[in-house]
């Protein structure tokens, strides 16, 4: 069984140590995505993108928006990522 809550705690601690760590926000968003906490994943991805607008971040956010049936936002992010 995967240990999602331990991963969330680890990434949260990394963010507390370095609030400019976009990778920690992204990786925590990945875990949140896996456990279907989509609103929280979007928030982390928003923070990651503000810090460092990498295409991986836009790709994941676009995928989450699609699951949430926010198709226009999904298309914007997916087009940006491609």
């Amino acid at each position: 069984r995967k240990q999602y809550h331990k991963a969330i705690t680890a990434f949260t601690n990394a963010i507390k140590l370095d609030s400019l760590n976009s990778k920690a926000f992204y990786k925590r968003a990945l875990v949140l995505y896996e456990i279907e906490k989509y609103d929280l994943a979007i928030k982390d991805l928003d923070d990651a993108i503000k810090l460092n607008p990498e295409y991986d971040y836009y790709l994941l956010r676009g995928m989450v928006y699609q699951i949430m049936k926010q198709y226009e936002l999904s298309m914007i992010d997916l087009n940006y990522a491609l």
Side-chain angles (χ1 to χ4, degrees):
R1 178 176 143 93
K2 297 186 179 186
Q3 299 183 8
Y4 296 115
H5 296 291
K6 285 186 180 181
I8 289 170
T9 299
F11 292 124
T12 299
N13 288 337
I15 291 164
K16 286 179 184 175
L17 290 172
D18 180 5
S19 63
L20 301 179
N21 185 345
S22 65
K23 283 279 189 210
F25 282 105
Y26 172 71
K27 289 186 183 250
R28 188 170 69 178
L30 278 171
V31 177
L32 293 166
Y33 167 77
E34 287 291 320
I35 61 171
E36 300 179 3
K37 301 283 186 185
Y38 301 125
D39 289 333
L40 295 173
I42 292 290
K43 183 185 175 311
D44 275 357
L45 290 163
D46 289 346
D47 290 338
I49 289 168
K50 285 177 192 167
L51 293 169
N52 188 13
E54 296 210 14
Y55 75 94
D56 287 350
Y57 305 168
Y58 283 98
L59 180 61
L60 181 58
R61 192 172 70 175
M63 291 168 51
V64 176
Y65 277 140
Q66 187 170 12
I67 290 168
M68 297 173 72
K69 299 182 180 178
Q70 295 185 24
Y71 299 117
E72 287 183 34
L73 293 172
S74 175
M75 273 183 41
I76 291 167
D77 279 356
L78 293 175
N79 284 331
Y80 186 85
L82 301 175

